[in-house]
Amino acid sequence: MTVIIAFLANILVAIAKTIAAVITSSASMVAEAAHSWADAGNEIFLLIADRRGARTKDARHPLGYGRNAFVWSLIAAFGIFTAGAIVSIMHGIQELSETGPVESPLVAYIVLGIAFVLEGASFTQAMVKSRRLAKERGSSTWDFVLETSDTTLRAVFFEDAAALIGLVLAGGAILLHQITGVAAWDAVGSILVGILLAVVAIILISRNIEFLVGTTAAPKLRARVGTALLALPQIERVTYLHIEYVGPNRLFIVAEVDLAGDALEHDVARRLRDVEQRIEEHEAVETVVLSLSVDDEPSLEFSAS
């Protein structure tokens, strides 16, 4: 739903900005139009990411298809960089030598105002969801958005935030052009919007790459998983724990554990399978693999903080 709301908002805003760019001949409005069309296109990639990443695991993909979400989100991030950042910066540089006046600036202000309301509504929805999830995890909203494996939520959050900042930059550039009569201000606005998009794209690209190559779980998540394992009555201690994201909010867990009691080998194997099945019932766990610890291996300790 977050992506659909953002997509509809971007389509409406992109159409309005394109019309305003034609009427006003403003470089900043051209940059904003390119920005919104790029965002709208990227929402399609994010919808594909959600759809393909949600497929259930099978024999060919025992860890599921969740990493598809990171791949398509990475493509969307490159779209922001190419269709948004590069176009805006290049157009702004080309317009630096222009000396024409701002045409129909009122149209630009009206469109920017409407766009701010629509983008603000989309950003508010993403912000409310991010704050709620961050509170559940005992994290700040900013840290949660940066660290979350929900790549779609992060993309929408950053795209909408960039859109709001870009609207302010564009409006300010047009106003300075109108007040001073120096057209370079409008071109500078386009360049600044491009730089803003480049920064956002680089952040999104780097985060998706980290999840694709297998980033380590955050210490708080590792502590929660370790504590949850030790809370199971069948497990006495944990000597090894590996946690890896195999999709948005989907975990692959490998652990070496010492089971309670002194059962026979056959019974131990059955108990391990039973514990694995119980852990995999959790909605965030895609697959878990447990093996037995060696007696002389030190136990891991997990802090709740």
Side-chain angles (χ1 to χ4, degrees), residues 171-232:
I174 294 173
L175 180 62
L176 287 172
H177 182 180
Q178 186 181 8
I179 292 174
T180 65
V182 179
W185 282 115
D186 190 23
V188 169
S190 178
I191 295 172
L192 290 177
V193 169
I195 293 174
L196 172 66
L197 293 178
V199 171
V200 169
I202 290 171
I203 292 174
L204 296 179
I205 289 171
S206 64
R207 292 303 294 150
N208 281 298
I209 289 176
E210 286 184 16
F211 281 107
L212 278 172
V213 300
T215 184
T216 57
K220 288 184 178 180
L221 173 61
R222 181 179 174 83
R224 288 201 303 270
V225 172
T227 302
L229 288 175
L230 290 174
L232 294 173

Side-chain angles (χ1 to χ4, degrees), residues 45-65:
F45 288 125
L46 294 178
L47 287 170
I48 295 174
D50 282 348
R51 183 179 179 84
R52 296 198 174 184
R55 294 169 62 187
T56 56
K57 59 186 178 181
D58 53 33
R60 293 187 61 188
H61 295 84
L63 297 181
Y65 291 81

